[in-house]
Amino acid sequence: MIGVLTHHWAKSDKIEEAKKLLDRNGLAQSKAPGFGSRQTLYSLSDPTKITTLVTWDSDEIYDAWRASPQRTTAMAGAEDLWGSPPQSERFEVAG
């Protein structure tokens, strides 16, 4: 199992729209094969920072999700919401 930690920085006037888009993406992810769980974290020190931690059965399954038309649809318009590019890192889940 892997965990994908992604930091997103919304434009200051687009925070609510960014939250809705990420919720829409989370709903689409939850229906994908190999999805495990998802947590969304809102920074206490930077209101524009939204972090997600999503678990997947494997790297290959996550790669398939990233290339899927469902993800493309869920994330449509995202580039207009970010103040800086999202940063992601993959982790092996312990235990």
Side-chain angles (χ1 to χ4, degrees), residues 1-9 22 29 37-42 49-56 59 62 66 85-93:
M1 180 177 286
I2 66 162
V4 181
L5 184 70
T6 306
H7 301 293
H8 307 83
W9 289 272
L22 291 174
Q29 285 177 327
S37 65
R38 178 185 172 101
Q39 294 290 317
T40 301
L41 308 167
Y42 302 120
K49 188 175 183 181
I50 306 166
T51 298
T52 57
L53 174 59
V54 185
T55 61
W56 296 91
D59 267 334
Y62 177 59
R66 288 192 47 85
Q87 294 179 2
S88 274
E89 186 174 356
R90 297 180 192 197
F91 297 85
E92 183 177 334
V93 176

Side-chain angles (χ1 to χ4, degrees), residues 26-76:
L27 179 61
Q29 285 177 327
S30 72
K31 298 174 183 178
F35 169 85
S37 65
R38 178 185 172 101
Q39 294 290 317
T40 301
L41 308 167
Y42 302 120
S43 173
L44 295 176
S45 62
D46 179 354
T48 69
K49 188 175 183 181
I50 306 166
T51 298
T52 57
L53 174 59
V54 185
T55 61
W56 296 91
D57 287 346
S58 69
D59 267 334
E60 296 77 19
I61 287 173
Y62 177 59
D63 288 338
W65 161 254
R66 288 192 47 85
S68 73
Q70 293 85 356
R71 180 182 183 273
T72 300
T73 299
M75 293 299 286

